Amino acid sequence: MLELYQFEASHHCEKIRLILDYKQLPYTTVEVTPGVGQIDLYRMSGQRQVPVLKNGSEVIADSTAIARYLETQYPERPLVPTDPKQQGLCWMMEAWADESIGTNARTVMIGAFSQHPNFRTALLPVSTPDLLKNLVGSVPGDVLSLLGTGVGFGPDDVRSATEILRQNLESLCLILQTQPYLLGEQPTLADFAVAGLTMYIKFPAKQYVDLPVGICDKGVPGLADVPQFESFWKWRDRLYADYRKLHTGGPTGGTGPVTIGIE
Ligand SMILES: N[C@@H](CCC(=O)N[C@@H](CS)C(=O)NCC(=O)O)C(=O)O
């Protein structure tokens, strides 16, 4: 059985969950406790970030490496086109989703927390400090004091990340004007990477991810709620409806999430 070591609230993990669901592979999730659980993760995988995939004795860290591994081991329902040009574009778009969308989305979400009380209250009443820690990743120090003030998350950082994401969403809308998926007629890794890494800009419309219900369909004002990008969010809703399994209170075919801590 495939085991995904994850943070439920991680956008890189969401990319892998989308891929696992698309390939119709059963898996269990192991919820890693931020901080202490990452020590075990380090022992297991040689690094401390999620996602990590375990398949028997094989341990694969990093979402791109996991995608490659899954494509090699489970070629049914392929994710990567065979045509060389399409294949090159697919890997390029996947990297762009991780680096540009993923990095900037994290910044704008933290910015939205500090600037928009409504967005914050949609999450905070039921959130735990752990959830916030998951969202901000490895940033040290007291999480709440970080919001809007920490290094890399000040107003200028948020403004420039928002501008980059506007351009990214505009490009995606243009591509999707004439074709159903980012590389043409079939879904590929590019689609699942973009869908997963846009999670912090706007959370999925239904409870695909085990997060507070109040956060479904909520997102960063100015990006998640403007008519200009509506076609992109509609596209993502359809991708989720077609390929992602709804959260059912336990992981797919598994025993339920467990937390790993220090021994
Ligand atoms: N390049 C990695 C990035 C993974 C990543 O940034 N993971 C975050 C969660 S989204 C994490 O584990 N943060 C905790 C930490 O860095 O300690 C990938 O694609 O998997």
Side-chain angles (χ1 to χ4, degrees):
M1 173 69 78
L2 295 167
E3 282 180 299
L4 181 67
Y5 286 71
Q6 65 154 22
F7 296 155
E8 184 72 17
S10 148
H11 51 183
H12 287 99
C13 295
E14 181 59 4
K15 169 180 153 190
I16 297 304
R17 292 184 298 246
L18 276 156
I19 291 171
L20 287 163
D21 280 356
Y22 174 67
K23 283 193 172 278
Q24 300 178 344
L25 295 168
Y27 67 99
T28 56
T29 54
V30 179
E31 195 65 17
V32 175
T33 306
V36 287
Q38 290 174 267
I39 297 170
D40 279 356
L41 200 67
Y42 184 83
R43 285 190 193 129
M44 186 176 84
S45 69
Q47 57 84 60
R48 42 173 283 139
Q49 291 195 317
V50 293
V52 169
L53 186 76
K54 195 164 181 287
N55 190 12
S57 59
E58 293 185 278
V59 175
I60 306 102
D62 186 87
S63 65
T64 303
I66 295 171
R68 265 183 210 277
Y69 173 84
L70 290 172
E71 187 68 348
T72 312
Q73 295 291 314
Y74 306 97
E76 291 276 304
R77 296 174 67 83
L79 283 168
V80 181
T82 47
D83 170 73
K85 182 177 153 198
Q86 290 281 98
Q87 195 176 128
L89 286 171
C90 183
W91 288 116
M92 210 181 268
M93 208 177 276
E94 191 248 10
W96 170 76
D98 279 358
E99 283 151 29
S100 185
I101 300 179
T103 309
N104 289 298
R106 187 161 153 263
T107 304
V108 296
M109 202 218 39
I110 292 168
F113 259 68
S114 67
Q115 286 160 22
H116 300 276
N118 289 349
F119 184 50
R120 187 164 61 233
T121 47
L123 183 58
L124 281 183
V126 267
S127 75
T128 62
D130 278 356
L131 173 61
L132 283 173
K133 277 185 196 155
N134 289 350
L135 295 174
V136 298
S138 58
V139 182
D142 171 46
V143 165
L144 287 173
S145 73
L146 262 178
L147 298 175
T149 57
V151 177
F153 299 100
D156 287 348
D157 302 301
V158 173
R159 241 190 315 275
S160 95
T162 306
E163 195 41 49
I164 292 168
L165 288 171
R166 278 209 187 97
Q167 284 170 29
N168 290 350
L169 290 172
E170 203 177 302
S171 306
L172 290 163
C173 288
L174 287 169
I175 294 172
L176 292 167
Q177 253 179 37
T178 54
Q179 54 192 45
Y181 298 105
L182 292 171
L183 290 172
E185 298 302 313
Q186 300 296 327
T188 68
L189 174 60
D191 298 281
F192 298 115
V194 165
L197 273 299
T198 50
M199 181 167 87
Y200 296 162
I201 309 177
K202 186 178 190 180
F203 286 90
K206 293 190 182 161
Q207 227 180 0
Y208 295 98
V209 183
D210 188 17
L211 289 175
V213 180
I215 206 164
C216 289
D217 221 21
K218 296 252 174 20
V220 176
L223 292 171
D225 55 357
V226 290
Q228 195 190 350
F229 306 129
E230 207 178 291
S231 62
F232 172 78
W233 302 116
K234 280 205 173 122
W235 167 84
R236 200 186 65 171
D237 285 348
R238 183 172 49 82
L239 194 81
Y240 266 82
D242 289 347
Y243 301 115
R244 179 84 161 96
K245 291 195 175 78
L246 275 169
H247 179 77
T248 52
T252 329
T255 50
V258 292
T259 296
I260 59 169
I262 29 178
E263 293 146 20

